[in-house]
Amino acid sequence: MDTRVAKKKLGLKERYAAMTRGLAWETSYQSMDEVFPYDKYEGIKIHDWDKWEDPFRLTMDAYWKYQGEKEKKLYAVIEAFAQNNGQLGVTDARYINALKLFIQGVTPLEYYAHRGFSHAGRAFRGAGASVACQMQSVDELRHYQTETHAISHYNKYFNGMHHSNHWFDRVWYLSVPKSFFEDACTGGPFEFLTSVSFSFEYVLTNLLFVPFMSGAAHNGDMSTVTFGFSAQSDESRHMTLGIECIKFMLEQDPANVPIVQRWIDKWFWRGYRLLTLVAMMQDYMLPKRVMSWKEAWEMYAEEGGGALFKDLARYGIREPAGWKDACEGKDHISHQAWATFYNYNGAAPFHTWVPRDDEQAWLAEKYPETYERHYKPRWDYWREQAAAGNRFYNMTLPMLCTTCQIPMLFTEPGDATKICYRESDWRGNRYHFCSDHCKGIFDHEPEKYVQSWLPVHQIYQGHCFKPGTDPTKEGFDPLLAVLDYYELNVGRDNFDFEGSEDQKNFAAWRGEALPAGGAK
Amino acid sequence: MSVVATRAYDFPAQDVRENFPAPLLYIGWEDHLMFCAPFCLPLPPDTPFSALATAVLPGIFGYHPDFAKIDWKAVQWFKSGKAWNPDPAKSLAENGLKHKDAIRFRTPGLEGIKGSHA
């Protein structure tokens, strides 16, 4: 009788080695430097690529299995949500505006991240790093798809979601996230990892995903919660990879330390500026609040980030240059940002509103040092004016920061009554910035940022009108021409929430009466 | 410092004067943060400086209840953050204003809605 011989099965470690490191080889008839032209020019020195650690030891076959199961559950929930008219179960139609911001501003970033990681994966000659980047690239593409799929249900019922990709390349405030990722993708592969894997995902992603998804749960949006959970389990892996790649660079050669530090300084600040949008979402856009931006900042940035930078001190890394200013900003940026969208709501495809009395009381409680002193008076004034039929819409284009591209809305550290102006001259031209850190980023690489596509300047250069537009024609309205170029439905996608089609429809679907004379 | 790149990195600047119909001027009103940011305006260089107060600024800042109370003789001007004394009879260019200069004005005694600098 033949003895059955068990086929030798690879252990987890061996399997990981075979499915990742085993995929690489040394080139023979072309030099490695010609095949991999991008992983040395930034100055990062790698002596042993095998030291790259993937703590999850994730291989492609395991990836498909886990992600396939997750996707099945996700799409089951999304379908159930759609079949049960889940859009009627959210707290308030105002909440939907947070989703508009997400589909307009965050989802396209997932696609950029997919492209960036795909490129970084190709650029690294170390197989471990390359495989990790390729799998993250697939993650990011999935996120783009699942977010689009989950939010598309709302697009059937609410305005401001039908054209997010078109808007991403054109609408003024979307140039803020877009420029962040284009800056990252046009850096080298190591800078890209520092910007996205480390600064954005490791240091700041909790501030984005946790409040957004808890906000969705608190406001009855189970579809978004589900894609949030699905994405968040990948984010945890991305965060771990982010810290591992930073440690890998720092451990490989001491000459890498100052390069990485400069990137951390730059990308922490760029990421922090980008998250201004999340700050205002948390404090103003969620009808049921989860936690204030200030509380979230203290929990995730000050506590978590503080411990992280203590841990990195042994490599010679200090906290990012903008850290203290960012911590001070926790009392201000959400209020300043929401006021800006209130100003420019004529040109933004989502609705804004004055916070209601109970919401103002919440803001005063959460921001005892700043809300009533600096911000409440303008909201009260704007509400009075709106009630009198004189709702404030700012029609003149704002000055922008050349680096972060946000209107110059931030105030001086230590003085919330003064706008922070900084400027630099370079090759006979003048450039302006919202902070010392945006100025510092420009001053280090002026050649890069003199190419900034600043929406206000592009409008004035005549680049934001549809082909065939004649600005010399009698009665030409430049603002309407720009909104036409955006393909924004004027009167439906934009303007105040009070009186909007979203507000009226939602009340009608739920059989509710609209508040008389504006909400208090 | 400069960009680290694989080859020469030199591209034209997007926002040079020649790309605009008129030079850009940035204008901010101190202590009035109801206007969330300073404004950006293309203004012909031969515009008289006095036309700012009479023709340009009312259209952009006029919504604010303080605007009508401004005593233009008492207004303090700043250029690139430093105190500055423009001559209202001269043009923007004759006052030394160049493309993408930032100026601000302060209106003593007027500090926004209920003194909140808004």
Side-chain angles (χ1 to χ4, degrees):
Chain A
M1 198 178 172
D2 291 341
T3 311
R4 285 186 69 185
V5 180
K7 211 170 154 190
K8 195 179 172 243
K9 213 175 166 188
L10 294 178
L12 190 65
K13 221 169 164 181
E14 294 162 315
R15 214 168 108 91
Y16 172 70
M19 303 264 307
T20 57
R21 312 299 160 98
L23 297 176
W25 65 88
E26 285 283 321
T27 56
S28 51
Y29 57 88
Q30 289 287 346
S31 77
M32 285 292 274
D33 283 347
E34 275 186 75
V35 176
F36 296 101
Y38 296 121
D39 63 357
K40 285 186 174 172
Y41 81 91
E42 297 168 279
I44 295 291
K45 293 185 171 66
I46 302 299
H47 303 291
D48 182 3
W49 277 99
D50 283 336
K51 289 268 164 41
W52 176 283
E53 291 285 343
D54 178 349
F56 292 92
R57 298 218 158 84
L58 191 62
T59 56
M60 201 40 104
D61 56 342
Y63 181 88
W64 295 125
K65 185 170 170 285
Y66 296 142
Q67 300 298 355
E69 284 168 14
K70 265 167 54 178
E71 299 281 275
K72 268 186 217 155
K73 287 178 196 155
L74 169 66
Y75 282 97
V77 173
I78 293 175
E79 271 170 39
F81 185 82
Q83 283 171 15
N84 294 318
N85 283 319
Q87 78 282 358
L88 295 179
V90 301
T91 45
D92 182 335
R94 292 184 304 163
Y95 164 75
I96 308 295
N97 292 285
L99 293 183
K100 296 179 191 180
L101 200 56
F102 199 96
I103 191 78
Q104 293 168 10
V106 179
T107 301
L109 296 187
E110 306 272 18
Y111 192 74
Y112 264 122
H114 150 68
R115 291 171 59 185
F117 279 105
S118 187
H119 179 256
R122 169 62 184 82
F124 288 139
R125 66 192 72 192
S130 182
V131 169
C133 287
Q134 287 166 24
M135 272 189 273
Q136 180 159 351
S137 173
V138 182
D139 279 343
E140 305 292 1
L141 186 57
R142 278 182 28 252
H143 296 175
Y144 176 82
Q145 291 170 333
T146 54
E147 288 163 14
T148 304
H149 197 100
I151 293 179
S152 68
H153 175 74
Y154 288 98
N155 180 37
K156 298 174 196 162
Y157 301 96
F158 297 93
N159 296 320
M161 295 185 180
H162 60 286
H163 227 2
S164 54
N165 279 339
H166 182 86
W167 291 335
F168 189 67
D169 291 326
R170 290 166 180 77
V171 174
W172 55 281
Y173 58 90
L174 298 174
S175 78
V176 174
K178 182 180 159 82
S179 75
F180 175 100
F181 257 86
E182 289 184 344
D183 191 349
C185 290
T186 51
F190 283 110
E191 184 177 352
F192 177 80
L193 283 198
T194 311
S195 67
V196 180
S197 296
F198 180 72
S199 299
F200 196 70
E201 299 198 305
Y202 193 82
V203 184
L204 298 167
T205 201
N206 272 334
L207 280 161
L208 169 65
F209 267 87
V210 178
F212 230 112
M213 300 319 153
S214 324
H218 273 71
N219 287 280
D221 177 8
M222 297 322 284
S223 177
T224 297
V225 175
T226 314
F227 84 62
F229 281 150
S230 173
Q232 186 63 22
S233 58
D234 299 335
E235 295 301 330
S236 313
R237 178 156 41 81
H238 301 167
M239 288 170 70
T240 312
L241 278 175
I243 189 71
E244 288 303 326
C245 88
I246 283 284
K247 287 184 176 169
F248 173 68
M249 283 190 275
L250 297 173
E251 281 167 3
Q252 284 289 308
D253 199 296
N256 294 342
V257 175
I259 303 175
V260 171
Q261 179 71 59
R262 191 174 58 70
W263 286 338
I264 289 175
D265 288 348
K266 169 183 174 181
W267 288 102
F268 165 75
W269 188 257
R270 291 223 62 186
Y272 166 69
R273 276 294 187 241
L274 176 55
L275 288 190
T276 305
L277 291 170
V278 181
M280 81 174 190
M281 187 271 302
Q282 252 177 288
D283 284 342
Y284 286 85
M285 301 180 79
L286 299 176
K288 273 198 186 163
R289 294 343 195 229
V290 182
M291 64 184 349
S292 66
W293 168 256
K294 184 180 177 181
E295 288 166 326
W297 182 263
E298 285 166 353
M299 180 183 293
Y300 295 114
E302 290 180 9
E303 286 175 32
L308 167 69
F309 287 105
K310 267 188 203 132
D311 183 37
L312 291 176
R314 66 194 159 105
Y315 297 101
I317 291 290
R318 52 160 174 74
E319 66 189 25
W323 185 259
K324 284 192 178 62
D325 288 343
C327 292
E328 199 211 293
K330 71 188 173 190
D331 264 316
H332 302 285
I333 63 170
S334 66
H335 316 294
Q336 295 170 349
W338 187 242
T340 301
F341 281 96
Y342 190 84
N343 269 238
Y344 288 110
N345 205 181
F350 64 86
H351 301 301
T352 60
W353 53 86
V354 173
R356 296 174 182 174
D357 285 342
D358 58 327
E359 293 167 337
Q360 292 225 28
W362 183 87
L363 288 164
E365 184 199 320
K366 296 294 180 187
Y367 294 94
E369 306 295 322
T370 56
Y371 185 72
E372 291 191 325
R373 184 168 157 218
H374 295 294
Y375 304 109
K376 190 175 189 309
R378 77 187 73 165
W379 290 118
D380 289 343
Y381 181 75
W382 280 333
R383 180 158 69 184
E384 251 170 55
Q385 291 297 306
N390 190 26
R391 201 286 197 190
F392 177 51
Y393 288 110
N394 195 333
M395 306 298 276
T396 313
L397 303 182
M399 176 182 187
L400 306 179
C401 170
T402 304
T403 302
C404 70
Q405 309 205 4
I406 298 177
M408 296 269 294
L409 61 96
F410 300 104
T411 46
E412 284 285 356
D415 186 354
T417 67
K418 295 260 177 293
I419 296 280
C420 183
Y421 293 79
R422 299 290 183 272
E423 57 183 55
S424 294
D425 286 311
W426 196 71
R427 290 190 180 169
N429 283 289
R430 182 154 292 176
Y431 298 91
H432 297 271
F433 314 97
C434 66
S435 54
D436 290 324
H437 311 292
C438 278
K439 173 176 157 62
I441 292 167
F442 175 92
D443 288 345
H444 190 81
E445 296 179 305
E447 300 93 334
K448 193 165 193 182
Y449 301 98
V450 298
Q451 301 172 68
S452 296
W453 195 94
L454 299 177
V456 166
H457 294 183
Q458 291 300 310
I459 290 170
Y460 283 139
Q461 288 182 30
H463 295 154
C464 299
F465 303 133
K466 279 189 166 167
T469 304
D470 177 10
T472 59
K473 214 172 142 189
E474 205 179 324
F476 175 73
D477 183 333
L479 179 63
L480 281 179
V482 170
L483 297 183
D484 185 41
Y485 163 80
Y486 290 173
E487 298 187 355
L488 184 153
N489 290 326
V490 176
R492 297 177 79 199
D493 298 331
N494 56 347
F495 299 138
D496 205 284
F497 177 77
E498 301 297 336
S500 67
E501 203 173 73
D502 278 1
Q503 183 193 36
K504 287 177 193 155
N505 286 343
F506 192 70
W509 295 328
R510 299 225 295 199
E512 292 166 354
L514 286 175
K520 287 278 166 77
Chain B
M1 293 297 284
S2 59
V3 170
V4 175
T6 51
R7 63 195 72 172
Y9 192 100
D10 196 6
F11 299 93
Q14 286 271 7
D15 294 326
V16 291
R17 164 69 189 91
E18 301 77 58
N19 292 350
F20 294 86
L24 297 183
L25 183 64
Y26 302 113
I27 304 179
W29 183 8
E30 295 290 276
D31 309 322
H32 290 79
L33 298 173
M34 193 167 94
F35 305 98
C36 59
F39 289 115
C40 171
L41 296 168
L43 290 174
D46 56 359
T47 308
F49 192 86
S50 60
L52 289 181
T54 54
V56 178
L57 303 185
I60 60 179
F61 291 114
Y63 186 92
H64 201 290
D66 278 355
F67 191 80
K69 300 180 203 157
I70 296 175
D71 172 4
W72 287 98
K73 287 191 206 77
V75 165
Q76 300 161 348
W77 289 93
F78 303 87
K79 187 179 158 196
S80 291
K82 295 191 184 87
W84 180 56
N85 284 312
D87 181 345
K90 290 185 173 167
S91 71
L92 299 179
E94 286 163 346
N95 272 297
L97 290 176
K98 291 195 293 288
H99 179 53
K100 296 208 285 170
D101 268 338
I103 61 172
R104 334 179 203 172
F105 63 104
R106 195 171 159 266
T107 48
L110 300 177
E111 293 192 334
I113 308 293
K114 294 183 180 165
S116 71
H117 299 86

